[in-house]
């Protein structure tokens, strides 16, 4: 409370008191409705159970209908009650006074998360309502909004913004562009939440235009780190669900997220805005559904943990738009060699191979297998037509069996192998194991599977959200377009690559979606000005505009060796624990490095709190991993090492992790939680932390041009504080930057 000025508008305090009183009465009514529905449901169930043998079928049917109706009524009552509870905590965040043309006086409109009316009097308007758009788009003066009935013009005579928490008004401002910036900075200065937050009170004008975009088709959002693109996309979905509630529901929306942790991280946004949860899935889960019973595949792997040049070359080859064109060429030619029909004879009936071929080609838009089924129906119909003597004719499934025998290749795997052979690139296809595809082959395989056998298309999903767009290849998008022929919101940042073997770019995506709407978000809100300026110098992102929210400059901590670095890291952890922040992300370059750091810091493998024994182990571990990397010969050995590490982690205790409130975020993790999270750069994508610590920021770990991008991603996860540690020589990407903290030769020698 002391951080905020006194409320300058006594009328607003009176209004809040009145609204709170009406919310309290509404809550009492809602609670009574829930209790009444519960009683009615229980009484009806009890009556049916007690008189089951005595009730005639008609009465039983009537009671079952009553149960269903009561259940629906009760669910609605619970929903309304829960909304009122949330409104009591924070009823609204803004007020606008709007005077329509030819009106003498303006009317006040209060804007909140949900609409609320009391005895048919509207007290609060939903932030998604047409009139609410003026709060985001207009300043005091000439204004208007687009309603379903058309444009409404007038004048905005007042604009106020509030912060209400626990039913108490913490601040109230006459709103303007400067005040909105101040409010935004206040909100951004808070600690991170466990889940991604609703941003309805701080939506910027350019963000609002994206959120309220109602146009059909595909929308592509290219946003720099911290621009709020994911939150904006989710708020757009909430807006569309509100705007088109008669034909779009939460069950019609699917989100494709990079991993389960990120899916969990964003899961609370839509429900917080009053809508039902939305189905989330990853590209791996999507492939599981399509390939169940067809073929297996290995999971996506960290490219920095695989020392296999041939594997990397295969991944690069399949990541380009040219590869899609090559597959399209093969699919176009496939009818010429995939099906070689011969005459079909059944007793006295006969159709020529040429006639069968003509019918096959006539269904050219369908998968090969579906074409054959339709041709079988055609053959059957022709036999029926020619059956003057009313003889027995073969059933379509019998005919289809014969037609399938005329296929040159019997399954998609044979077709997939033939593609590489026919295109003269046989070396680009290697099986991970028996009937197991490498991850890079999964979506190319599905693309040919769509042409040969067909994919399971989603007719329920009417809007698809794809996050982290830069991490997916053109062939993956080509497959998605087959699975989900619907409206799409695609978002990400092509400045945040995590796979050095991906060669595609933003222009490739714009080529695939040549009719899509394209917007850019260049202003970053997540991190302080100092952190973003630091990150911007690392990756030279010229378009990035840091917000003027100041804080401590990033700190670079020099260390004597790996053991000393662990000791310094523990100091940072102690400082975090003693401070007021709620989340610390310790971000390593690779998944393996994150696992090793977790084992050391959490007390595994004999690591002690003072750091001596564990530090030595960590130092030797890093050196050992470098030697081991030079010896690896391929993915099979890497896979066995991974299994060994997993087995080791299953055996170690949890006392250290609990003591430090630590969690390791991996691809197997299912949720995000506050405290200390240790993870890799790739798993940190989309997440944010109050503080970020980047160990091993040395010239050995971050050396290549691609490493520059990884370091940039790690830095931009920090909201308020950023610390980097290193031993040896600091990475060239931060050399020369003026930093605070322990970065002098004197400190180094005295450590």
């Amino acid at each position: 409370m002391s951080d905020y000025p006194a409320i300058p508008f006594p009328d607003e305090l009176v209004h809040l008191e009145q609204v709170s009183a009406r919310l309290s009465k509404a809550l009492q009514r809602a609670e009574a409705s829930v209790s009444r529905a519960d009683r009615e449901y229980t009484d009806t169930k009890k009556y049916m159970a007690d008189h089951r043998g005595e009730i005639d079928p008609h009465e039983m049917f009537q009671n079952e209908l009553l149960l269903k109706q009561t259940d629906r009524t009760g669910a609605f009552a619970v929903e309304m009650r829960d909304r009122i509870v949330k409104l009591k905590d924070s009823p609204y965040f803004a007020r606008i006074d709007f005077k329509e043309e030819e009106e003498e006086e303006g009317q006040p409109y209060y804007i909140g998360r949900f609409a609320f009316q009391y005895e048919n009097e509207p007290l609060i308007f939903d932030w998604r309502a047409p009139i609410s758009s003026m709060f985001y788009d207009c300043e005091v003066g000439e204004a208007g909004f687009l309603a379903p009935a058309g444009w409404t013009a007038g004048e905005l005579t007042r604009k106020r913004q509030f912060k209400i928490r626990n039913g108490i008004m913490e601040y109230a401002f006459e709103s303007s562009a400067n005040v909105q910036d101040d409010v935004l900075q206040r909100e951004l200065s808070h600690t991170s939440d466990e889940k991604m937050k609703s941003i309805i009170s701080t939506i910027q004008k350019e963000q609002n235009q994206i959120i309220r975009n109602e146009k059909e088709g595909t929308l592509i959002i290219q946003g720099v780190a911290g621009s709020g693109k994911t939150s904006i996309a989710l708020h757009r979905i909430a807006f569309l669900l509100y705007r088109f509630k008669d034909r779009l529901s939460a069950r019609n929306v699917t989100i494709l997220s990079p991993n389960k942790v990120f899916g969990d991280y964003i899961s609370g946004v839509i429900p917080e805005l009053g809508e039902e949860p939305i189905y989330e899935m990853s590209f791996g889960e999507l492939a599981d559904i399509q390939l169940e019973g067809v073929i297996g595949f290995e999971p996506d792997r960290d490219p920095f943990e695989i020392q296999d040049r041939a594997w990397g070359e295969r991944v690069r080859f399949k990541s380009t738009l040219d590869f899609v064109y090559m597959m399209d060429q093969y699919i176009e030619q496939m009818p010429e060699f995939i099906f070689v029909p011969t005459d079909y004879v059944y007793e006295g009936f006969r159709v020529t191979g040429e006639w069968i071929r003509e019918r096959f080609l006539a269904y050219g838009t369908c998968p090969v297998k579906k074409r054959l089924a339709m041709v079988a129906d055609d053959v059957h119909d022709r036999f029926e037509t020619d059956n003057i003597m009313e003889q027995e004719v073969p059933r379509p499934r019998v005919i289809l069996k014969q037609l399938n025998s005329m296929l040159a290749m019997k399954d998609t795997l044979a077709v997939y192998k033939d593609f590489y052979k026919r295109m003269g690139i046989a070396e680009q296809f290697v099986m991970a194991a028996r009937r197991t595809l490498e991850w890079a082959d999964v979506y190319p395989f599905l693309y040919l599977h769509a042409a040969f056998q067909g994919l399971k298309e989603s007719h329920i999903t009417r809007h698809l959200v794809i996050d982290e767009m830069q991490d997916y290849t053109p062939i993956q998008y080509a497959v998605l377009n087959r699975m989900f022929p619907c409206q799409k919101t695609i978002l990400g940042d092509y400045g945040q690559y995590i796979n050095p073997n991906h060669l595609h770019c933003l222009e490739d995506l714009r080529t695939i979606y040549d009719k899509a709407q394209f917007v850019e978000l260049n202003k970053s809100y997540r991190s302080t000005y100092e952190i973003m300026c630091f990150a911007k110098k690392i990756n030279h992102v010229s378009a990035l505009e840091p917000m003027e929210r100041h804080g401590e400059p990033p700190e670079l901590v020099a260390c004597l060796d790996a053991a000393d670095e662990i000791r310094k890291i523990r100091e940072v952890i102690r400082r975090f624990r003693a401070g007021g922040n709620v989340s610390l992300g310790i971000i390593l370059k690779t998944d393996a490095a994150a696992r090793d750091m977790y084992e050391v810091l959490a007390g595994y493998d004999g690591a002690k709190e003072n750091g001596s024994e564990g530090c030595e182990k960590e130092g030797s571990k890093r050196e050992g991993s470098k030697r081991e990397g030079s010896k690896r010969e391929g993915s099979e050995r890497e896979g066995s090492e991974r299994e060994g590490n997993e087995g080791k982690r299953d055996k170690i205790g949890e006392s250290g992790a609990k003591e430090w409130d630590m969690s390791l975020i991996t691809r197997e993790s299912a949720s995000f939680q506050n405290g200390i999270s240790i993870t890799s750069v790739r798993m940190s994508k989309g997440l944010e932390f109050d503080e970020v610590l980047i160990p091993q920021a040395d010239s050995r770990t971050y050396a290549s041009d691609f490493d520059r991008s990884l370091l940039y991603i790690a830095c931009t996860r920090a909201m308020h504080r950023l610390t980097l540690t290193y031993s040896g020589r600091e990475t060239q990407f931060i050399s020369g930057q003026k930093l605070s903290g322990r970065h002098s030769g004197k400190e180094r020698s005295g450590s």
Side-chain angles (χ1 to χ4, degrees):
M1 295 287 288
S2 60
D3 295 336
Y4 303 108
I7 307 301
F9 315 114
D11 61 315
E12 296 294 359
L13 294 174
V14 172
H15 180 78
L16 176 59
E17 186 176 348
Q18 293 172 344
V19 171
S20 296
R22 293 177 178 182
L23 282 167
S24 294
K25 291 181 180 179
L27 181 58
Q28 290 176 2
R29 295 174 184 176
E31 292 281 11
S33 295
V34 172
S35 298
R36 185 167 52 254
D38 283 342
R39 284 196 306 271
E40 289 177 1
Y41 190 87
T42 302
D43 291 345
T44 304
K45 288 281 288 186
K46 187 175 185 303
Y47 176 81
M48 292 172 65
D50 293 344
H51 302 86
R52 182 167 296 277
E54 306 169 14
I55 302 176
D56 61 52
H58 177 74
E59 186 180 357
M60 179 65 74
F61 176 70
Q62 292 298 322
N63 279 300
E64 288 175 350
L65 287 180
L66 179 61
L67 275 177
K68 291 180 180 179
Q69 183 179 351
T70 304
D71 189 46
R72 287 194 296 269
T73 303
F76 179 76
V78 169
E79 181 183 349
M80 296 307 298
R81 180 199 63 189
D82 292 347
R83 285 194 176 193
I84 295 171
V85 169
K86 291 179 179 179
L87 283 176
K88 275 185 67 65
D89 176 65
S90 181
Y92 47 84
F93 59 86
R95 167 186 170 177
I96 55 174
D97 291 14
F98 180 65
K99 182 170 72 71
E100 292 188 31
E101 289 181 340
E102 301 179 358
E103 285 188 351
E104 294 184 1
E105 295 184 1
Q107 296 292 323
Y109 300 90
Y110 287 84
I111 302 168
R113 276 190 291 180
F114 318 117
F116 174 68
Q117 63 177 19
Y118 186 80
E119 295 179 351
N120 297 321
E121 178 188 358
L123 297 180
I124 304 171
F125 287 81
D126 193 294
W127 68 277
R128 297 165 291 184
I131 198 168
S132 302
S133 65
M134 291 189 292
F135 170 73
Y136 303 108
D137 293 339
C138 306
E139 300 302 325
V140 173
E142 186 178 341
F145 63 95
L146 184 62
W151 181 259
T152 301
E155 180 185 0
L156 205 62
T157 61
R158 173 166 287 160
K159 185 176 175 182
R160 288 176 176 173
Q161 193 158 359
F162 314 100
K163 175 70 173 183
I164 302 172
R165 183 163 53 184
N166 298 324
I168 299 172
M169 188 173 293
E170 295 183 348
Y171 63 70
F173 297 120
E174 291 286 1
S175 189
S176 65
N178 291 335
V179 169
Q180 286 179 322
D181 283 346
D182 182 62
V183 170
L184 178 59
Q185 291 203 29
R186 288 176 182 271
E187 294 301 313
L188 293 174
S189 65
H190 293 163
T191 58
S192 63
D193 205 350
E194 194 169 329
K195 309 282 184 181
M196 182 174 287
K197 300 175 183 176
S198 163
I199 60 168
I200 55 173
S201 64
T202 58
I203 292 171
Q204 306 298 289
K205 185 176 180 178
E206 70 274 10
Q207 297 173 335
N208 188 53
Q209 292 171 353
I210 299 171
I211 290 170
R212 294 176 185 265
N213 187 319
E214 301 177 13
K215 296 179 181 177
E216 296 286 338
T218 297
L219 174 66
I220 298 175
I221 305 172
Q222 161 64 33
V224 297
S227 59
K229 51 188 175 289
T230 300
S231 189
I232 291 167
L234 294 174
H235 282 70
R236 182 185 184 223
I237 294 302
F239 172 78
L240 293 175
L241 292 172
Y242 173 88
R243 177 70 177 83
F244 301 106
K245 60 182 67 175
D246 57 331
R247 49 192 172 98
L248 187 68
S249 67
R251 67 189 295 269
N252 300 133
V253 182
T254 298
I255 299 176
L256 283 178
S257 56
N259 51 66
K260 293 178 181 177
V261 174
F262 184 73
D264 174 74
Y265 189 67
I266 66 175
S267 62
V269 175
I270 298 295
E272 188 68 15
L273 296 173
E275 303 293 344
E276 294 180 6
I278 288 173
Y279 186 56
E280 302 152 16
M281 62 191 313
S282 66
F283 273 77
E285 291 170 324
L286 194 59
D288 271 332
I289 294 171
Q290 293 289 343
L291 295 178
E292 184 180 7
V294 177
I295 197 169
F297 60 90
E298 66 174 7
D300 191 13
R301 297 152 70 186
D302 190 338
F304 295 99
E305 295 182 13
I306 303 175
Q307 307 297 321
D308 187 337
R309 290 186 178 181
W311 176 87
E313 176 58 35
R314 293 194 296 274
V315 175
R316 286 191 289 274
F317 178 75
K318 296 159 190 173
S319 73
T320 63
L321 187 58
D322 286 340
F323 181 66
V324 180
Y325 295 152
M326 185 179 292
M327 299 203 84
D328 285 337
Q329 180 184 349
Y330 177 84
I331 291 170
E332 187 178 350
Q333 299 171 355
M334 193 164 63
E336 301 297 325
F337 54 78
I338 194 84
F339 183 56
V340 187
T342 57
D343 294 354
Y344 178 66
V345 180
Y346 184 86
E347 295 184 0
F349 302 98
R350 181 188 186 93
V351 291
T352 65
E354 185 58 31
W355 186 90
I356 292 174
R357 179 174 178 77
E358 288 176 0
R359 298 311 305 152
F360 178 78
L361 296 175
Y363 299 117
T365 60
C366 298
V368 169
K369 287 282 192 174
K370 291 185 178 179
R371 290 198 223 181
L372 292 183
M374 290 186 285
V375 173
D377 288 336
D378 290 346
V379 172
H380 177 266
D381 291 344
R382 178 166 173 175
F383 285 172
E384 286 281 18
T385 302
D386 296 342
N387 191 12
I388 302 174
M389 303 299 294
E390 297 187 358
Q391 298 173 274
E392 183 182 356
V393 300
R395 296 179 180 178
R397 59 184 178 87
V398 175
I399 302 171
L400 179 60
K401 185 177 180 180
Q402 185 64 29
L403 294 178
N404 279 323
S405 69
M406 302 176 190
L407 284 170
M409 289 162 275
K410 307 303 182 185
D411 57 29
T412 305
L413 182 58
V415 176
Y416 194 62
K417 291 178 179 178
D418 183 72
F419 160 73
Y420 287 96
K421 182 179 179 182
R422 199 174 289 270
M423 293 296 172
I425 50 173
E427 73 281 358
Q428 297 293 344
F429 178 57
V430 176
M431 297 284 285
R434 184 177 178 277
R435 294 200 62 80
T436 304
L437 299 171
E438 291 183 339
W439 174 252
D441 284 305
V442 172
Y443 277 81
F445 182 94
L446 282 171
Y447 199 55
L448 283 188
H449 193 61
F452 181 70
Q453 189 162 319
L455 296 175
K456 304 168 186 173
E457 295 183 10
S458 176
H459 299 291
I460 295 175
T461 299
R462 297 175 187 169
H463 197 112
L464 181 68
V465 180
I466 306 170
D467 206 350
E468 302 294 348
M469 63 185 183
Q470 71 281 355
D471 296 338
Y472 313 126
T473 62
I475 193 66
Q476 288 178 302
Y477 285 107
V479 173
L480 286 183
N481 292 337
R482 298 286 185 93
M483 293 185 199
F484 301 97
C486 63
Q487 190 174 2
K488 297 176 179 69
T489 299
I490 304 173
L491 62 141
D493 179 16
Y494 272 84
Q496 297 187 60
Y497 269 117
I498 58 168
N499 194 327
N501 298 316
H502 283 185
L503 303 180
H504 52 93
C505 60
L506 179 59
E507 286 308 309
D508 292 336
L509 186 64
R510 298 187 71 170
T511 299
I512 296 170
Y513 298 101
D514 57 333
K515 296 181 180 176
Q517 304 168 70
F518 179 79
V519 295
E520 285 188 87
L521 297 172
N522 293 323
K523 193 164 187 176
S524 180
Y525 299 96
R526 175 189 297 133
S527 309
T528 63
Y529 183 83
E530 288 76 12
I531 291 173
M532 288 313 299
C533 286
F534 176 76
K536 188 175 179 179
K537 289 178 181 178
I538 290 175
N539 209 29
H540 309 303
V541 185
S542 58
L544 191 152
E545 303 172 22
M547 184 181 178
E548 291 275 352
R549 179 175 69 86
H550 292 281
E552 299 178 17
E555 181 182 14
L556 185 62
V557 180
C559 309
L560 291 172
D561 50 29
D564 187 44
E565 186 170 3
I566 295 297
R567 283 191 289 269
K568 298 289 176 54
I569 290 171
R570 292 190 185 277
E571 290 177 13
V572 174
I573 292 174
R574 291 189 187 95
R575 182 185 66 190
F576 163 75
R577 298 281 291 178
N581 289 327
V582 300
S583 61
L584 168 65
I586 303 177
I587 304 177
L588 286 295
K589 180 179 176 180
T590 67
D591 293 340
R595 290 193 296 267
D596 291 345
M597 184 64 69
Y598 178 71
E599 292 174 2
V600 171
L601 293 179
Y604 298 150
D605 290 338
K608 307 298 182 183
E609 189 174 341
N610 63 20
S612 59
E613 185 178 346
C615 298
E616 293 173 4
K617 288 181 178 284
E618 172 64 12
S620 62
K621 201 179 282 185
R622 286 185 62 188
E623 293 301 318
S625 64
K626 292 181 181 295
R627 293 191 296 271
E628 189 64 39
S630 64
K631 298 177 182 178
R632 290 178 181 168
E633 297 178 354
S635 60
E636 290 184 5
R637 182 169 181 177
E638 195 274 341
S640 64
E641 289 176 357
R642 180 183 301 163
E643 290 175 5
N645 286 334
E646 295 291 340
K648 181 174 68 176
R649 285 194 301 280
D650 289 340
K651 296 177 182 179
I652 54 185
E654 297 182 354
S655 58
K658 289 180 179 179
E659 179 183 352
W660 287 99
D661 190 25
M662 285 182 185
S663 61
L664 175 66
I665 300 178
T666 68
R667 280 167 291 176
E668 291 75 35
S669 302
S671 62
F672 176 85
Q673 57 187 358
N674 284 332
I676 303 168
S677 300
I678 303 176
T679 190
S680 63
V681 173
R682 67 180 299 180
M683 288 302 302
S684 73
K685 292 282 293 292
L687 304 180
E688 61 186 21
F689 305 90
D690 290 324
E691 300 183 28
V692 164
L693 167 63
I694 304 174
Q696 304 169 11
D698 53 66
S699 57
R700 298 167 298 170
T701 305
Y702 294 97
S704 70
D705 228 21
F706 192 81
D707 293 337
R708 180 195 301 272
S709 176
L710 297 179
L711 188 60
Y712 167 79
I713 293 169
C715 290
T716 56
R717 301 308 96 195
M719 295 177 63
H720 310 302
R721 194 167 197 168
L722 174 64
T723 305
L724 302 93
T725 64
Y726 73 97
S727 61
R729 178 176 297 177
E730 74 269 23
T731 174
Q732 60 180 322
F733 307 128
I734 56 177
S735 298
Q737 295 203 43
K738 293 182 179 180
L739 302 166
S740 73
R742 298 160 287 178
H743 191 192
S744 66
K746 185 178 180 180
E747 169 64 30
R748 192 177 303 180
S749 62
S751 299

